[in-house]
Amino acid sequence: MPLILLPGLLCDATLWRAQVRDLADVAAAIVPDLALDDSIEAMAARVLAAAPPVFSLAGLSMGGYVAFEILRQAPERVKRRALFSTSAAADDPARIEARRRGIESLKLGRFAGVTSCLLPQLIHPSRIGTEIGERVKAMAKRVGGEAFLRQQQAILDRPDSRPGLPAIRVPTIVAVGDADLLTPPGHSREIHAAIAGSTFHLFTQCGHLPALEAPEETSALLRAWLLR
């Protein structure tokens, strides 16, 4: 079964590298580029245009927003879904304003990527200063400022996906790190509660990026889901 792995904001295929390797015997994994469009709808359409007729789908953070949209655009093509570190809700007014300020300031200044000050929002404190932190910074540099602006605009304009959650009938995993500051566990628990038969998984001592922070645990979780 083909497996599409959707990366998050300022992430590229490196985010899912361990899972592509670990699951090669049970899934042909594809990691699309989500840095090319400025709307979640366009990102989803681009993924679908290049995707196999049917597939399993996993998304992390912004990738989760795209996964919701893919299910709206082509529900019959998705055979199972995994949602990591994401939210079904649209941004609240405070978050919207913060994103707009960030977009405007970046248009006037230089893209700094993921700085040492920002890193603690993305990964668990125990991993600051490790190779994982360096990978996160390197991904952000590769994605770059122009793509970051497109992605932020897309996230800003995304719809509220909560009304559609009860209609989801495919096998679904909802997973999040216990120390996720960007999408705290309450967001994932809300998704899990709304999707009948879904499975909830909490990564311990993990921040916003379990695919990088807990690669073996993430791969094992996805393997069980794929073989269910």
Side-chain angles (χ1 to χ4, degrees), residues 40-162:
I40 296 298
E41 292 85 354
M43 290 177 185
R46 186 184 294 272
V47 171
L48 285 166
V54 295
F55 50 87
S56 299
L57 180 66
L60 185 148
S61 193
M62 183 188 73
Y65 310 152
V66 178
F68 286 126
E69 180 61 29
I70 286 173
L71 212 61
R72 282 190 287 270
Q73 292 187 18
E76 72 285 354
R77 296 176 63 182
V78 180
K79 295 307 177 186
R80 66 192 72 231
R81 193 171 67 160
L83 300 166
F84 290 83
S85 311
T86 196
S87 172
D91 280 348
D92 61 33
R95 195 74 178 269
I96 288 172
E97 181 58 28
R99 285 194 199 278
R100 285 177 174 159
R101 288 199 305 268
I103 289 171
E104 291 307 313
S105 63
L106 180 53
K107 288 177 179 177
L108 298 173
R110 183 177 63 87
F111 177 63
V114 172
T115 63
S116 296
C117 293
L118 181 58
L119 202 56
Q121 296 183 43
L122 294 171
I123 60 177
H124 191 270
S126 65
R127 298 184 178 93
I128 303 296
T130 69
E131 182 188 356
I132 291 171
E134 294 307 309
R135 287 185 197 172
V136 173
K137 291 179 180 179
M139 280 196 299
K141 287 183 180 179
R142 285 194 298 272
V143 174
E146 290 185 4
F148 177 64
L149 284 174
R150 288 192 290 271
Q151 291 178 336
Q152 282 284 51
Q153 188 62 54
I155 292 170
L156 184 65
D157 294 338
R158 77 186 188 278
D160 188 338
S161 295
R162 290 174 295 181

